[in-house]
Amino acid sequence: MSNRLFGTTGVRKIYGREFDLEMAVRLGKALGTILEEGTVVIGTDVRTTGKLVADALTAGVLSTGVNVVRVGLVPTPTLAFITRQNKYDAGLMVTASHNPPEYTGIKFWRPDGMGYTPEQESQIEAVYDSGVFKAAEWDKLGMLHSLDAIVEDHIAALLQHCDVHLIRTKNYTVVVDPGNGSASVLTPYLTRELGCKVLSINSQADGHFPGRRSEPDETSLGDLIKVVTDIDADLGIAHDGDADRVVFVSERGEVVRGDRTIALLAKEILAKNGKERIVTTVDSSSVLDESVARAGGATIRTPVGDVQVAIKMKESKSSFGGEACGVFIFSEFHLAPEPFLAVCKLLELMARTGRSFGDLISEIPVYPLLKDKIRCSNAKKMEVMETLSERLPEAFDNTKEVLTVDGLGIYLQNGWVLVRPSGTEPVIRITCEAHSKEAAASILKTAKEVVEKVLSS
Ligand code: MG
C-alpha cells in the first residue's frame, strides 16, 4: 500500500520524504503518454511546494508533446470548472487538500469536470511504473500558455445558479475563514457580489497555514466562532486548504457538520425536483437518511471520497450529494465538489424563508458522533482489516447489518460504527454514531478494544 502512488483522492505524499520532483515529472509524462495529444490545465493551491511541483509536472507533460495551460493559485473546484468549461483534455490540481503543510499532492480532473475514477488513476500508475513514455522531438514539444481571471469566470457562473437579487436584499453579514488556503481568492469576493457585508479572517494565502489547521472542524474554528458571535454575523464560512470543502458556523456559534447541512439543502432540492436519491458516503449521520426519507427521497451510500459520490451521482442521475466533512456536489453545475454553490444555496434558503441558519438547522437533530484513530502501518492495514471483519461484528450483540462497501460498517439497533484504514495516513479510523452520547461512547470503547487487540496479536 505504501508503494502505491494514489490514495483515496489522487496522490498525496510528504514532500521530500515520500514525493520528489522526479516523481512529478514522471507523472506528467505518464499523463501525456496516455493522452497522446491535446491540452492539460494545471493549477496549484497555496502550499510552499506548489509551484515547484507544478513546474515539474508541466515539464513532464510538455515533453510528450501535449500542451499545458497554467492558471496559478486557484481553489480545486475552480480548476475542475475551467477544465470542463474550456474542454481541456485533463486538469491537474497540485494540492494536498486539508493535510498538514509538509504534504503535497496531485488531483486529476476529467474533461466533464469529474475527478479521475480509481480505474483512470490505475491506468496512470501503470504507465508511471512501466517507465515507457512518449518522448516528443525538440520541434514537437507541447506549448506552454497561461490563463488569468478564471476565478472571476467561476464567480460569474455561480451567480447564475442562485437568486442573486433576493439574497442582495438581505444584506447579510458573513465571516469568511479560508484558513490561509485557496478560498482566499474566491469566497470573500463571491459573498460581496451577493450583497453581503464581508469580514475575512485567515485570508492571506500562505502555505505555512499560520492561522489554523487546514481541516475545518470544531477544534480548528475557535477564532471564526468568536468573530461570528462577537459581531452578530448571520453566517460563518470556513474552507479547507484547497477549498473543495465548506463548513458553516451558525449565528449562534455552532459549527454545523456537513451531513446536517446536506440534509437541510436536500429538503429544498427534493421539494423542487420530487422523489430522487441523495448520494452520500458511509460515514454520514443517519439523520440524513431520516430527513431525506421524510422529504420523500432516499439515500445511497458510497465509499468515502468525493469522486465516489460523483460516480454514483452520475450513475443514478442524482442532482445532489456530498460528504459529512463538508463536500457538496450539485450536478446542475458540475460533478466536482462545489462549496461555493453551497454558500449561494444556503444564503438563498435563508433569504427565501426569512429564517436564520441556526433556526433552520435546529430542525435537523445532532446525533452524537465520536471519532478516534489508532496508528497502524500501511503495510499491516489489509491484514488487520481482514481479521477485524471476522472479529468486530461478533463483539456486538445487536447487529442489524454489516456493510463492506468501504472499510467495515456495522449498523446496530442503537447506532453504527465504521472502521476504515486511512487512504492517506498510517492510521485506522473508528467512527461511531448513536442517538445518545453514552451509547456512542460504549460502541467506540468496544470497537477500539477489538482493534487494539487485533493490532497487538
Ligand atoms: Mg480539500
Side-chain angles (χ1 to χ4, degrees):
M1 197 164 205
S2 57
N3 298 330
R4 286 211 55 220
L5 212 48
F6 289 88
T8 316
T9 312
V11 177
R12 217 177 286 174
K13 304 273 185 196
I14 298 175
Y15 180 80
R17 200 152 90 207
E18 302 169 337
F19 190 84
D20 58 28
L21 295 179
E22 273 102 290
M23 290 167 78
V25 173
R26 277 171 72 110
L27 263 173
K29 287 184 181 178
L31 177 66
T33 301
I34 290 168
L35 293 177
E36 292 179 26
E37 57 183 6
T39 302
V40 174
V41 58
I42 302 181
T44 66
D45 70 7
V46 301
R47 285 165 196 274
T48 58
T49 49
K51 188 172 176 299
L52 269 183
V53 174
D55 285 350
L57 280 169
T58 299
V61 173
L62 293 175
S63 75
T64 64
V66 171
N67 305 318
V68 171
V69 172
R70 292 282 291 267
V71 293
L73 171 62
V74 288
T76 294
T78 303
L79 195 275
F81 164 78
I82 205 71
T83 303
R84 180 165 176 240
Q85 173 165 284
N86 290 8
K87 300 187 172 65
Y88 293 123
D89 298 284
L92 293 181
M93 183 67 193
V94 179
T95 175
S97 189
H98 57 278
N99 279 48
E102 63 272 24
Y103 278 79
T104 186
I106 298 136
K107 193 167 174 177
F108 291 70
W109 294 93
R110 315 194 317 185
D112 64 357
M114 198 169 111
Y116 267 36
T117 61
E119 291 72 29
Q120 288 176 300
E121 291 183 338
S122 298
Q123 195 193 359
I124 302 260
E125 190 150 354
V127 176
Y128 176 96
D129 287 339
S130 78
V132 181
F133 305 119
K134 186 183 168 207
E137 297 289 330
W138 68 271
D139 57 349
K140 300 279 188 313
L141 297 171
M143 305 256 275
L144 178 62
H145 301 278
S146 65
L147 197 62
D148 288 330
I150 64 166
V151 170
E152 287 82 347
D153 289 352
H154 191 184
I155 291 176
L158 289 162
L159 295 176
Q160 285 169 15
H161 285 260
C162 65
D163 191 338
V164 179
H165 299 291
L166 175 69
I167 299 169
R168 280 185 183 154
T169 62
K170 299 291 181 179
N171 299 115
Y172 288 123
T173 299
V174 301
V175 184
V176 178
D177 178 0
N180 303 111
S182 301
S184 307
V185 302
L186 199 154
T187 308
Y189 305 96
L190 170 67
T191 44
R192 198 164 297 133
E193 287 290 327
L194 292 169
C196 298
K197 185 179 162 211
V198 184
L199 196 107
S200 298
I201 62 170
N202 303 322
S203 63
Q204 76 282 19
D206 185 336
H208 298 92
F209 298 104
R212 61 163 167 86
R213 256 191 322 112
S214 181
E215 182 153 19
D217 56 27
E218 284 89 346
T219 58
S220 61
L221 299 182
D223 292 340
L224 177 61
I225 295 166
K226 187 168 185 320
V227 178
V228 167
T229 49
D230 278 359
I231 69 163
D232 289 325
D234 297 292
L235 189 66
I237 302 167
H239 295 279
D240 71 330
D242 67 325
D244 60 352
R245 298 191 197 172
V246 62
V247 170
F248 296 102
V249 173
S250 79
E251 77 285 1
R252 302 169 190 179
E254 184 193 2
V255 177
V256 177
R257 236 164 42 206
D259 39 10
R260 287 176 73 216
T261 312
I262 294 168
L264 180 68
L265 295 177
K267 281 204 294 187
E268 287 298 294
I269 286 165
L270 288 165
K272 205 161 82 185
N273 297 1
K275 239 181 177 180
E276 71 162 299
R277 282 167 310 171
I278 306 295
V279 180
T280 192
T281 47
V282 285
D283 56 349
S284 279
S285 170
S286 38
V287 81
L288 176 54
D289 309 279
E290 292 160 15
S291 307
V292 167
R294 261 200 304 277
T299 46
I300 308 178
R301 300 257 178 175
T302 73
V304 170
D306 57 78
V307 173
Q308 297 292 342
V309 174
I311 291 170
K312 191 53 95 175
M313 282 177 69
K314 193 171 186 177
E315 206 179 285
S316 61
K317 296 193 171 60
S318 164
S319 57
F320 185 45
E323 286 192 271
C325 61
V327 170
F328 298 83
I329 304 178
F330 302 86
S331 59
E332 67 174 78
F333 198 81
H334 55 195
L335 283 170
E338 194 42 77
F340 313 113
L341 192 54
V343 171
C344 300
K345 299 277 186 195
L346 183 55
L347 289 170
E348 184 181 293
L349 175 61
M350 288 162 58
R352 194 174 53 67
T353 57
R355 295 170 67 188
S356 71
F357 176 47
D359 189 28
L360 288 163
I361 203 71
S362 67
E363 287 175 7
I364 315 275
V366 183
Y367 294 153
L369 187 83
L370 296 176
K371 290 181 183 188
D372 211 332
K373 55 186 176 185
I374 298 174
R375 281 199 77 80
C376 174
S377 70
N378 289 334
K380 253 186 113 174
K381 277 177 184 169
M382 240 165 34
E383 186 196 328
V384 168
M385 287 306 296
E386 247 168 61
T387 315
L388 280 175
S389 67
E390 290 160 24
R391 302 260 292 271
L392 194 58
E394 63 194 32
F396 297 96
D397 54 13
N398 56 353
T399 303
K400 273 197 311 193
E401 195 183 8
V402 178
L403 270 188
T404 52
V405 49
D406 184 5
L408 179 60
I410 300 170
Y411 296 81
L412 310 165
Q413 298 293 348
N414 62 335
W416 54 259
V417 54
L418 179 70
V419 180
R420 57 186 297 275
S422 164
T424 50
E425 291 169 68
V427 296
I428 285 184
R429 298 183 192 283
I430 307 175
T431 311
C432 304
E433 185 188 87
H435 287 196
S436 78
K437 253 189 185 149
E438 295 72 27
S442 148
I443 296 170
L444 179 64
K445 185 165 171 277
T446 306
K448 222 178 144 176
E449 278 169 6
V450 176
V451 175
E452 273 164 353
K453 215 166 158 187
V454 168
L455 266 166
S456 65
S457 64

